[in-house]
Amino acid sequence: MASVIFDTNIYVFHSLKYQDALQVWNEYAVIKNYDVIMSIIQVAELLSFSKIEDIPAIKIQREKYISLADEVVLVDDEIARKAAEIKRAWNKHSGKNLKLPDALIAATAILHDAVLISNNNRDFLYLSEFHGLKYVNPILNQDDLYNFVENLKAKTE
C-alpha cells in the first residue's frame, strides 16, 4: 500500500481550512487511499504549539490528526542514521544546517517509501532531487497563502 506523510505545516494549513491543504488531504488520504503515516517528531511538533492549553479546540484538532494516522513511526537506529546522512549531505550542498526534525521526517519518508507533502521547498527540494525523497508541495501560490494567514490574524486581533 502506498503511504503519505503530511508535514506539520500541512496539518496546520488543513486545520485553518486553506484550500490547497484541504485538496491535497482529500487527494492522498481519501481518493488515493494512501496509508497516512506520521513521524513521532510530528506528534511533538503538533502538540508543542504554545496556545494549545489556552484553546481546547486546537488541542482536540491536533489530537484528531494524530489519531487519524494509520501508523506513528518512532525514530529508530535506521531513521537516525539516515537523518544524519541527510544532514551531512545538506550541509555539504548548502553550507547550512538542516534542522534535525526536518531531517528525521525526510528520513522517515525515504525509508518508508512515502510521499512527503509539505510547504518546505527550501529543505525538501534538494532531498527530492538527490536523495530519493518523494516530495510534493501542494501550495500553488505562496502569496495567496501569505494573504490567507494575514487575513486570519487580522480577524483574531
PDB file of all heavy atoms in Angstrom, residues 1-4 6 24-36 70:
ATOM      1  N   MET A   1       0.847  -1.187   0.000  1.00  0.00           N
ATOM      2  CA  MET A   1       0.000   0.000   0.000  1.00  0.00           C
ATOM      3  C   MET A   1       0.884   1.238   0.000  1.00  0.00           C
ATOM      4  O   MET A   1       1.873   1.312   0.706  1.00  0.00           O
ATOM      5  CB  MET A   1      -0.895  -0.017   1.243  1.00  0.00           C
ATOM      6  CG  MET A   1      -1.784   1.181   1.390  1.00  0.00           C
ATOM      7  SD  MET A   1      -3.051   1.218   0.147  1.00  0.00           S
ATOM      8  CE  MET A   1      -4.508   1.470   1.056  1.00  0.00           C
ATOM      9  N   ALA A   2       0.537   2.209  -0.788  1.00  0.00           N
ATOM     10  CA  ALA A   2       1.274   3.466  -0.852  1.00  0.00           C
ATOM     11  C   ALA A   2       1.045   4.260   0.437  1.00  0.00           C
ATOM     12  O   ALA A   2      -0.013   4.177   1.056  1.00  0.00           O
ATOM     13  CB  ALA A   2       0.837   4.271  -2.062  1.00  0.00           C
ATOM     14  N   SER A   3       2.066   5.033   0.806  1.00  0.00           N
ATOM     15  CA  SER A   3       1.996   5.808   2.046  1.00  0.00           C
ATOM     16  C   SER A   3       2.286   7.279   1.796  1.00  0.00           C
ATOM     17  O   SER A   3       2.986   7.642   0.844  1.00  0.00           O
ATOM     18  CB  SER A   3       3.024   5.279   3.058  1.00  0.00           C
ATOM     19  OG  SER A   3       2.765   3.944   3.385  1.00  0.00           O
ATOM     20  N   VAL A   4       1.778   8.108   2.684  1.00  0.00           N
ATOM     21  CA  VAL A   4       1.983   9.548   2.621  1.00  0.00           C
ATOM     22  C   VAL A   4       2.278  10.066   4.025  1.00  0.00           C
ATOM     23  O   VAL A   4       1.748   9.542   5.010  1.00  0.00           O
ATOM     24  CB  VAL A   4       0.748  10.264   2.014  1.00  0.00           C
ATOM     25  CG1 VAL A   4      -0.487  10.086   2.877  1.00  0.00           C
ATOM     26  CG2 VAL A   4       1.035  11.729   1.743  1.00  0.00           C
ATOM     27  N   PHE A   6       2.048  13.775   5.756  1.00  0.00           N
ATOM     28  CA  PHE A   6       1.716  15.189   5.681  1.00  0.00           C
ATOM     29  C   PHE A   6       2.587  15.898   6.705  1.00  0.00           C
ATOM     30  O   PHE A   6       2.528  15.588   7.894  1.00  0.00           O
ATOM     31  CB  PHE A   6       0.236  15.430   6.003  1.00  0.00           C
ATOM     32  CG  PHE A   6      -0.707  14.812   5.002  1.00  0.00           C
ATOM     33  CD1 PHE A   6      -1.385  13.640   5.295  1.00  0.00           C
ATOM     34  CD2 PHE A   6      -0.914  15.407   3.764  1.00  0.00           C
ATOM     35  CE1 PHE A   6      -2.250  13.067   4.378  1.00  0.00           C
ATOM     36  CE2 PHE A   6      -1.779  14.846   2.837  1.00  0.00           C
ATOM     37  CZ  PHE A   6      -2.445  13.668   3.145  1.00  0.00           C
ATOM     38  N   VAL A  24      -5.178  18.544  -1.061  1.00  0.00           N
ATOM     39  CA  VAL A  24      -4.132  17.517  -1.063  1.00  0.00           C
ATOM     40  C   VAL A  24      -4.479  16.406  -0.066  1.00  0.00           C
ATOM     41  O   VAL A  24      -4.203  15.238  -0.307  1.00  0.00           O
ATOM     42  CB  VAL A  24      -2.725  18.104  -0.822  1.00  0.00           C
ATOM     43  CG1 VAL A  24      -2.479  18.465   0.649  1.00  0.00           C
ATOM     44  CG2 VAL A  24      -1.649  17.158  -1.334  1.00  0.00           C
ATOM     45  N   TRP A  25      -5.082  16.762   1.058  1.00  0.00           N
ATOM     46  CA  TRP A  25      -5.525  15.752   2.022  1.00  0.00           C
ATOM     47  C   TRP A  25      -6.551  14.832   1.356  1.00  0.00           C
ATOM     48  O   TRP A  25      -6.451  13.606   1.443  1.00  0.00           O
ATOM     49  CB  TRP A  25      -6.128  16.420   3.258  1.00  0.00           C
ATOM     50  CG  TRP A  25      -6.615  15.426   4.261  1.00  0.00           C
ATOM     51  CD1 TRP A  25      -7.808  14.779   4.264  1.00  0.00           C
ATOM     52  CD2 TRP A  25      -5.876  14.926   5.378  1.00  0.00           C
ATOM     53  NE1 TRP A  25      -7.879  13.917   5.322  1.00  0.00           N
ATOM     54  CE2 TRP A  25      -6.712  13.983   6.022  1.00  0.00           C
ATOM     55  CE3 TRP A  25      -4.624  15.187   5.903  1.00  0.00           C
ATOM     56  CZ2 TRP A  25      -6.311  13.310   7.175  1.00  0.00           C
ATOM     57  CZ3 TRP A  25      -4.234  14.521   7.051  1.00  0.00           C
ATOM     58  CH2 TRP A  25      -5.068  13.587   7.666  1.00  0.00           C
ATOM     59  N   ASN A  26      -7.519  15.437   0.702  1.00  0.00           N
ATOM     60  CA  ASN A  26      -8.554  14.663   0.024  1.00  0.00           C
ATOM     61  C   ASN A  26      -7.954  13.766  -1.058  1.00  0.00           C
ATOM     62  O   ASN A  26      -8.322  12.598  -1.186  1.00  0.00           O
ATOM     63  CB  ASN A  26      -9.609  15.601  -0.570  1.00  0.00           C
ATOM     64  CG  ASN A  26     -10.816  14.851  -1.069  1.00  0.00           C
ATOM     65  OD1 ASN A  26     -11.421  14.070  -0.334  1.00  0.00           O
ATOM     66  ND2 ASN A  26     -11.174  15.074  -2.319  1.00  0.00           N
ATOM     67  N   GLU A  27      -7.017  14.304  -1.829  1.00  0.00           N
ATOM     68  CA  GLU A  27      -6.412  13.540  -2.913  1.00  0.00           C
ATOM     69  C   GLU A  27      -5.673  12.300  -2.405  1.00  0.00           C
ATOM     70  O   GLU A  27      -5.866  11.197  -2.918  1.00  0.00           O
ATOM     71  CB  GLU A  27      -5.433  14.419  -3.702  1.00  0.00           C
ATOM     72  CG  GLU A  27      -4.719  13.676  -4.811  1.00  0.00           C
ATOM     73  CD  GLU A  27      -3.690  14.523  -5.530  1.00  0.00           C
ATOM     74  OE1 GLU A  27      -3.647  15.759  -5.354  1.00  0.00           O
ATOM     75  OE2 GLU A  27      -2.909  13.933  -6.296  1.00  0.00           O
ATOM     76  N   TYR A  28      -4.838  12.471  -1.402  1.00  0.00           N
ATOM     77  CA  TYR A  28      -3.992  11.351  -0.955  1.00  0.00           C
ATOM     78  C   TYR A  28      -4.657  10.462   0.092  1.00  0.00           C
ATOM     79  O   TYR A  28      -4.550   9.239   0.022  1.00  0.00           O
ATOM     80  CB  TYR A  28      -2.646  11.873  -0.423  1.00  0.00           C
ATOM     81  CG  TYR A  28      -1.707  12.242  -1.536  1.00  0.00           C
ATOM     82  CD1 TYR A  28      -1.708  13.512  -2.085  1.00  0.00           C
ATOM     83  CD2 TYR A  28      -0.828  11.304  -2.064  1.00  0.00           C
ATOM     84  CE1 TYR A  28      -0.860  13.850  -3.126  1.00  0.00           C
ATOM     85  CE2 TYR A  28       0.022  11.631  -3.106  1.00  0.00           C
ATOM     86  CZ  TYR A  28       0.005  12.901  -3.627  1.00  0.00           C
ATOM     87  OH  TYR A  28       0.848  13.233  -4.666  1.00  0.00           O
ATOM     88  N   ALA A  29      -5.324  11.060   1.063  1.00  0.00           N
ATOM     89  CA  ALA A  29      -5.893  10.261   2.157  1.00  0.00           C
ATOM     90  C   ALA A  29      -7.246   9.661   1.820  1.00  0.00           C
ATOM     91  O   ALA A  29      -7.603   8.606   2.332  1.00  0.00           O
ATOM     92  CB  ALA A  29      -5.997  11.113   3.422  1.00  0.00           C
ATOM     93  N   VAL A  30      -7.997  10.318   0.930  1.00  0.00           N
ATOM     94  CA  VAL A  30      -9.348   9.854   0.630  1.00  0.00           C
ATOM     95  C   VAL A  30      -9.402   9.185  -0.744  1.00  0.00           C
ATOM     96  O   VAL A  30      -9.679   7.987  -0.855  1.00  0.00           O
ATOM     97  CB  VAL A  30     -10.369  11.016   0.739  1.00  0.00           C
ATOM     98  CG1 VAL A  30     -11.762  10.530   0.399  1.00  0.00           C
ATOM     99  CG2 VAL A  30     -10.334  11.639   2.132  1.00  0.00           C
ATOM    100  N   ILE A  31      -9.126   9.937  -1.794  1.00  0.00           N
ATOM    101  CA  ILE A  31      -9.286   9.405  -3.156  1.00  0.00           C
ATOM    102  C   ILE A  31      -8.275   8.295  -3.448  1.00  0.00           C
ATOM    103  O   ILE A  31      -8.645   7.197  -3.863  1.00  0.00           O
ATOM    104  CB  ILE A  31      -9.185  10.537  -4.201  1.00  0.00           C
ATOM    105  CG1 ILE A  31     -10.349  11.520  -4.013  1.00  0.00           C
ATOM    106  CG2 ILE A  31      -9.171   9.968  -5.617  1.00  0.00           C
ATOM    107  CD1 ILE A  31     -10.226  12.811  -4.823  1.00  0.00           C
ATOM    108  N   LYS A  32      -7.000   8.573  -3.229  1.00  0.00           N
ATOM    109  CA  LYS A  32      -5.967   7.567  -3.490  1.00  0.00           C
ATOM    110  C   LYS A  32      -5.868   6.544  -2.361  1.00  0.00           C
ATOM    111  O   LYS A  32      -5.249   5.506  -2.528  1.00  0.00           O
ATOM    112  CB  LYS A  32      -4.609   8.241  -3.697  1.00  0.00           C
ATOM    113  CG  LYS A  32      -4.535   9.064  -4.978  1.00  0.00           C
ATOM    114  CD  LYS A  32      -3.153   9.675  -5.147  1.00  0.00           C
ATOM    115  CE  LYS A  32      -3.054  10.463  -6.436  1.00  0.00           C
ATOM    116  NZ  LYS A  32      -1.725  11.109  -6.595  1.00  0.00           N
ATOM    117  N   ASN A  33      -6.441   6.870  -1.202  1.00  0.00           N
ATOM    118  CA  ASN A  33      -6.473   5.980  -0.043  1.00  0.00           C
ATOM    119  C   ASN A  33      -5.083   5.540   0.407  1.00  0.00           C
ATOM    120  O   ASN A  33      -4.868   4.380   0.771  1.00  0.00           O
ATOM    121  CB  ASN A  33      -7.370   4.766  -0.311  1.00  0.00           C
ATOM    122  CG  ASN A  33      -7.769   4.066   0.968  1.00  0.00           C
ATOM    123  OD1 ASN A  33      -7.875   4.692   2.019  1.00  0.00           O
ATOM    124  ND2 ASN A  33      -7.962   2.763   0.884  1.00  0.00           N
ATOM    125  N   TYR A  34      -4.119   6.445   0.361  1.00  0.00           N
ATOM    126  CA  TYR A  34      -2.780   6.140   0.868  1.00  0.00           C
ATOM    127  C   TYR A  34      -2.847   5.948   2.373  1.00  0.00           C
ATOM    128  O   TYR A  34      -3.670   6.566   3.056  1.00  0.00           O
ATOM    129  CB  TYR A  34      -1.833   7.307   0.577  1.00  0.00           C
ATOM    130  CG  TYR A  34      -1.250   7.366  -0.809  1.00  0.00           C
ATOM    131  CD1 TYR A  34      -1.956   6.940  -1.932  1.00  0.00           C
ATOM    132  CD2 TYR A  34       0.021   7.875  -1.005  1.00  0.00           C
ATOM    133  CE1 TYR A  34      -1.415   7.022  -3.194  1.00  0.00           C
ATOM    134  CE2 TYR A  34       0.572   7.967  -2.272  1.00  0.00           C
ATOM    135  CZ  TYR A  34      -0.147   7.532  -3.359  1.00  0.00           C
ATOM    136  OH  TYR A  34       0.404   7.618  -4.610  1.00  0.00           O
ATOM    137  N   ASP A  35      -1.972   5.090   2.893  1.00  0.00           N
ATOM    138  CA  ASP A  35      -1.803   4.998   4.336  1.00  0.00           C
ATOM    139  C   ASP A  35      -1.158   6.297   4.810  1.00  0.00           C
ATOM    140  O   ASP A  35      -0.157   6.735   4.242  1.00  0.00           O
ATOM    141  CB  ASP A  35      -0.898   3.827   4.711  1.00  0.00           C
ATOM    142  CG  ASP A  35      -1.611   2.489   4.649  1.00  0.00           C
ATOM    143  OD1 ASP A  35      -2.856   2.463   4.655  1.00  0.00           O
ATOM    144  OD2 ASP A  35      -0.919   1.459   4.600  1.00  0.00           O
ATOM    145  N   VAL A  36      -1.719   6.888   5.841  1.00  0.00           N
ATOM    146  CA  VAL A  36      -1.156   8.110   6.410  1.00  0.00           C
ATOM    147  C   VAL A  36      -0.231   7.699   7.544  1.00  0.00           C
ATOM    148  O   VAL A  36      -0.677   7.087   8.525  1.00  0.00           O
ATOM    149  CB  VAL A  36      -2.262   9.057   6.921  1.00  0.00           C
ATOM    150  CG1 VAL A  36      -1.656  10.284   7.600  1.00  0.00           C
ATOM    151  CG2 VAL A  36      -3.185   9.461   5.770  1.00  0.00           C
ATOM    152  N   ASP A  70      -2.487   6.176  10.242  1.00  0.00           N
ATOM    153  CA  ASP A  70      -2.511   4.714  10.217  1.00  0.00           C
ATOM    154  C   ASP A  70      -1.338   4.136  10.999  1.00  0.00           C
ATOM    155  O   ASP A  70      -1.418   3.022  11.508  1.00  0.00           O
ATOM    156  CB  ASP A  70      -2.466   4.210   8.770  1.00  0.00           C
ATOM    157  CG  ASP A  70      -3.733   4.584   8.009  1.00  0.00           C
ATOM    158  OD1 ASP A  70      -4.818   4.155   8.421  1.00  0.00           O
ATOM    159  OD2 ASP A  70      -3.620   5.316   7.007  1.00  0.00           O
TER     160      ASP A  70
END
